[in-house]
Amino acid sequence: MKHTGFRRIASSALAAALVLSMAPSAFADDSVKSEASAAAVDAANRENTYSAYLKRYADAERPNEEAICYGKDFKAAEGSDISCSVESVDGKDNVFKWASQTGQVDFTVNIPKTGLYFAEISYEALEGTTSDVQFALSIDGKSPYATAQRITMPKVWVNESGDEILKDSKGNDIRPKQKEEVMWQTKDIEDIDGLSNDPLAFYMEAGTHTITLSSEKAQFAIEYIKFYNHEKLPSYDPSAPQLSMATGKRITLEGELAKYKSSKTLFPTSDNTSYMTSSSNGSSPTKEKYNTIGGQGNWNKSTETVTWEFNVEAAGWYKIGIRARQDQMRGMYSNRRLYINGKVPYEEADQVKFYYDTEWTVTSPSFGDDPMYFYLESGKNTLTLEAIPGEIGEIMDEIDDIVYNTNSYYRQIRQITGPSPDEYNNYNIDKALPECISDFEKYSEQLIEAQKKIEELSGTGGTEAVTLRTMSIILDKCVDKPDRIPSMMSQIKDNITAVSAWVTQYRFQPLEVDMIELCTSDEDFTSTDSSFFKGLSYGFSKFIGSFFEDYNSLSDLDENSSDVMTAWITTGRDNAKVVTSLINNGYNVDAKTKVNVKLVVGGIVEATFSGKGPDLALFLGGDYPIQLAARDVLVDLSKMDGFDDVIKNFSKDATVLYQYNGGTYGIPLEQQFPMLFYRSDILEEYNIDPATDLATWDGLINVLPALQRNYMEVGLILAQMGSAGVTQISATTEAGNTFAMLLLQQGLNYYNEDQTKTNFDTNEAVSAFDKWTKFYTTYSFSQTYDAFTRFRMGDMPILINNYGFANQLATAAPEIKGCWNFQPVPGTIQKDGSINHAASSAGAGVVVFKKVPNVDDAWDFVKWFTSTETQTAYGQDIEAVLGTLGRYASANEEVLANLSWTTTEYNKLKEQLDSQVEIPVIPASYGVTRNLMNAFRQVVNDADNARDTLFWYNKDINDEIERKLEDLDMYEYDNK
């Protein structure tokens, strides 16, 4: 479809109307569904939730029967890409070993009686790159509900250092690395969304059924899958314990020394705010001590478990005291299920509540006002705490439904009113959507009821659930005066976002555990009552120590020594600690010249030219490497032995960002590149197939009428100018810049071969610039927007963003899990019919300064640090510390494959990575940024001619390049 280039349109509603007039065929009945049909799709999606499934079978019987299908009886689906076999695995014979991540297998099970069943799996997660096992389960070829499409079974993680926390040379604890412990587990399939205390249930008629497992993240062995129902837990009998069987016994379990964890993010954490915190290495007001587990809210997801192993000398009845702190959710409590030796001993232990408190408190599972006692046999025992949602899970499920349904109505109303409703137009929303008013009234009542339940559960009448009441008030106003709904659209949207964020926060179950005590009846738990004077002394010591502790230096090497190199790192402290640990344990042990790591914030250019700079810099990004190289302070690494071997694991153009004047002055570490993200649930409503319809820019333009008719948008990355005084990469060459993509996909880069002039005076550049600006004039794209919120709400179901956006969505938008995906950016069709998806990247690397004592030793370190082994260890360790949101954007292709991406996700990333074409950074990049953005603004905001404007500003760009080269004594004046 060809569009004529008309002037910028002020009203997006008018823009949509004009686009419609240009492409009436885009709205044929066979390609676009009506608003009523879109609502039906929303309803169908919601009916596919697990909560709706349970309501549908609420009266179904839960038979006291079981049915088992054995792994050895598997049948691989025809055409399935799967590596599997039946063999012995870790002591179990004739089990199914699924060695690949992908594939599909079938099992046959005979259900003896119709009803709802839980599913238990005996499995062993095989060692691999993923952090857990994920698969989809269907019954007789159909998925029972959406949650069954993303079943997650955990691996087992342990401290690499075992039962001790090691120390560095400065007396600080070293955070233990988390490593996989490959072992057999028997676990129920649980609700990964954290809304149900019980395992997932499956309704099946009596008879033979086919159970299909399909996966993109498998790699595990299966002994059996058992369908059954739980026996009712026994109630605690306070008269049962024979307290005289063991006396005078106390067993102390340090939180940080937990034996097994279900997630690699459950590493030991540090708390130095109180002198009372117990630690296996003793306490200190100035040294870092890893003395707890779950700090900073990293043990907060339902189904996550932590297990402590201990030895009991004398069998008997013991009470349990858990010194813990829940200071994350004000006015609410966290829940843990207590297991002894893998079983929940009593019904009362199925939910232990930890109420909000900023101080350490001892929580003991109790029966009334008295502690419960648990019988422990002599010898080895285990105690496990599992995060569960508790009663709040059901409430959150109800609110989730309200948020989803209200958002559905918001989108339908927006399709009628547009993004900027006319305040003088009634729109007759109550007639156009007659169910809307009655539903809003019902949702308001449900929100108030949910608020009351939450306040009853928390035991307070505070303001923690005030977000729900505010949303209720907005809905009440819509019900009372439907004609005001258009003018309240922004309030509806803001409150939907607020409630959604509130649900995300309060579905978490944070808890930090200091220690656990198991005591006989004659022993008391250690008191948590603090002493004023001890606290004062501790705080004073901490204050005095701050004057003598160098918190920037992460090791105690003498940086002035000739056999020590100083490396500056400008990332966060957590990243710096991981790097320091890797260097101290993996490089400094045998290195001739050791590396001292210092954490700094900016100032690297100033420090370098004042003679106080580092010998190496790690994760140095932006235009810093080139600005420093142009001033002859960096080592040209391309002249070092083995350079070609070092860069072979990077994409073909990855080093371009560090090349200048024929040399390479850095080795890439990070590389951010763009992907196209889309809401699959919304695009389905309009029969838009992302794989074909969004593969090219022309295809993207063709789907705009369908989206803009319903007032939805597409988001493109638009360079934002940096703050004054901040040196950064040229914004117009940032990852995913639209002009850069359009130009690169035509086979043309920014500069001529010797980088003395731009190529912006070519027909290709004018065409790219004109197409870029038309997205904001002809098609009225937004120049600034909140990508996360608008994608989450569905206002912007298609957008281009750096691929790390996937980690943000997975972490912070659980309510749309399974409703979005990503693929390579739109491309340009070439003469041979292929599609060029070229885009530019942003990155950070390691550089070596000429002042380094020994260049060869520095190069040895660079080779070690950029190796696949070291970078994989860093990527896995930093994800263990920061979670999915901190997943490493490695420039090394092998490392990227070793991180926790599924096979399908990695293949998409690899496809885009192979298409990347980098734009060189030059000393005058700031001039390119400023002038190109000025040209863009003048065309888009002032409606100037695109060709003339680009040519005009291109002259200024070339003049600035010439001036900068002259300043650096690099410009040839032969023609003058």
Side-chain angles (χ1 to χ4, degrees), residues 7-271:
R7 292 287 188 181
R8 179 174 56 91
I9 303 168
S11 166
S12 59
L14 178 57
L18 288 173
V19 174
L20 285 176
S21 67
M22 295 159 52
S25 61
F27 302 98
D29 291 339
D30 60 347
S31 62
V32 179
K33 301 179 182 178
S34 65
E35 286 83 354
S37 179
V41 171
D42 275 342
N45 288 338
R46 208 57 194 164
E47 279 300 309
N48 197 34
T49 63
Y50 180 58
S51 59
Y53 182 85
L54 283 184
K55 291 174 183 176
R56 192 155 59 245
Y57 297 108
D59 298 328
E61 186 179 354
R62 293 180 179 267
N64 187 24
E65 306 278 353
E66 67 176 43
I68 299 179
C69 50
Y70 292 95
K72 63 183 178 64
D73 298 325
F74 81 95
K75 181 181 179 182
E78 186 176 348
S80 176
D81 179 19
I82 181 171
S83 173
C84 56
S85 58
V86 175
E87 56 184 87
S88 296
V89 178
D90 280 353
K92 291 185 182 290
D93 298 329
N94 294 321
V95 299
F96 166 54
K97 184 178 180 180
W98 191 340
S100 59
Q101 288 191 15
T102 59
Q104 181 174 304
V105 293
D106 294 335
F107 300 93
T108 300
V109 63
N110 187 33
I111 298 298
K113 193 174 182 179
T114 299
L116 281 172
Y117 291 85
F118 298 133
E120 176 187 274
I121 300 185
S122 174
Y123 72 100
E124 178 178 279
L126 305 177
E127 188 171 0
T129 61
T130 59
S131 56
D132 47 39
V133 173
Q134 292 183 14
F135 57 86
L137 184 150
S138 58
I139 301 173
D140 299 327
K142 294 183 179 179
S143 174
Y145 40 82
T147 310
Q149 293 298 297
R150 40 190 170 82
I151 291 171
T152 301
M153 306 302 292
K155 292 186 174 183
V156 178
W157 301 87
V158 299
N159 292 346
E160 191 175 59
S161 57
D163 294 334
E164 62 177 332
I165 304 293
L166 304 178
K167 295 182 180 181
D168 63 20
S169 56
K170 298 179 71 174
N172 294 301
D173 284 355
I174 300 174
R175 177 190 285 129
K177 293 183 181 179
Q178 301 302 296
K179 70 172 185 177
E180 291 182 46
E181 184 80 0
V182 178
M183 58 188 291
W184 283 96
Q185 301 183 76
T186 301
K187 294 183 70 71
D188 289 330
I189 294 177
E190 297 183 303
D191 177 18
I192 196 64
D193 292 334
L195 299 175
S196 174
N197 290 312
D198 293 328
L200 295 178
F202 301 90
Y203 179 82
M204 286 184 283
E205 301 279 353
T208 301
H209 296 273
T210 299
I211 308 300
T212 301
L213 305 185
S214 54
S215 177
E216 295 178 354
K217 201 175 179 181
Q219 285 187 295
F220 67 133
I222 301 176
E223 181 186 17
Y224 65 79
I225 303 174
K226 180 172 71 175
F227 294 91
Y228 77 116
N229 277 290
H230 292 164
E231 294 182 2
K232 182 176 174 59
L233 290 172
S235 295
Y236 178 73
D237 181 0
S239 64
Q242 302 175 35
L243 304 182
S244 61
M245 288 187 65
T247 59
K249 300 296 182 182
R250 178 191 304 274
I251 302 170
T252 301
L253 311 177
E254 292 291 350
E256 68 273 16
L257 298 182
K259 181 70 172 180
Y260 304 117
K261 285 75 66 87
S262 65
S263 170
K264 65 180 179 182
T265 62
L266 294 176
F267 50 82
T269 50
S270 175
D271 173 75

Side-chain angles (χ1 to χ4, degrees), residues 1 3 15-17 19-28 30-35 38 411 414-415 682-689 693-694 699-714 779 794-795 797-798:
M1 180 173 63
H3 294 270
V19 174
L20 285 176
S21 67
M22 295 159 52
S25 61
F27 302 98
D30 60 347
S31 62
V32 179
K33 301 179 182 178
S34 65
E35 286 83 354
R411 287 170 45 212
R414 196 171 185 268
Q415 290 171 5
I682 295 176
L683 298 190
E684 181 185 354
E685 299 175 12
Y686 304 101
N687 289 335
I688 297 173
D689 180 10
D693 296 335
L694 304 180
L700 178 66
I701 291 172
N702 285 339
V703 305
L704 288 179
L707 297 177
Q708 292 184 336
R709 175 176 183 266
N710 294 285
Y711 302 104
M712 287 182 284
E713 297 184 68
V714 173
Y779 305 113
D795 295 346
I798 302 171

Side-chain angles (χ1 to χ4, degrees), residues 768-834:
F769 185 76
D770 183 58
K771 196 167 189 176
W772 178 33
T773 55
K774 279 183 178 178
F775 281 123
Y776 300 90
T777 55
T778 302
Y779 305 113
S780 300
F781 281 21
S782 296
Q783 294 186 38
T784 59
Y785 57 88
D786 181 346
F788 176 72
T789 299
R790 301 203 66 182
F791 189 79
R792 185 184 197 177
M793 293 287 295
D795 295 346
M796 193 172 277
I798 302 171
L799 61 82
I800 295 173
N801 211 320
N802 287 336
Y803 77 91
F805 187 59
N807 300 326
Q808 183 183 7
L809 293 173
T811 303
E815 74 277 7
I816 60 170
K817 195 171 185 178
C819 296
W820 60 270
N821 211 323
F822 60 82
Q823 66 183 40
V825 299
T828 300
I829 298 177
Q830 307 297 291
K831 292 181 179 179
D832 61 0
S834 63

Side-chain angles (χ1 to χ4, degrees), residues 609-626:
F609 291 110
S610 67
K612 298 180 180 180
D615 299 313
L616 305 101
L618 308 178
F619 298 99
L620 188 67
D623 62 353
Y624 285 115
I626 299 308

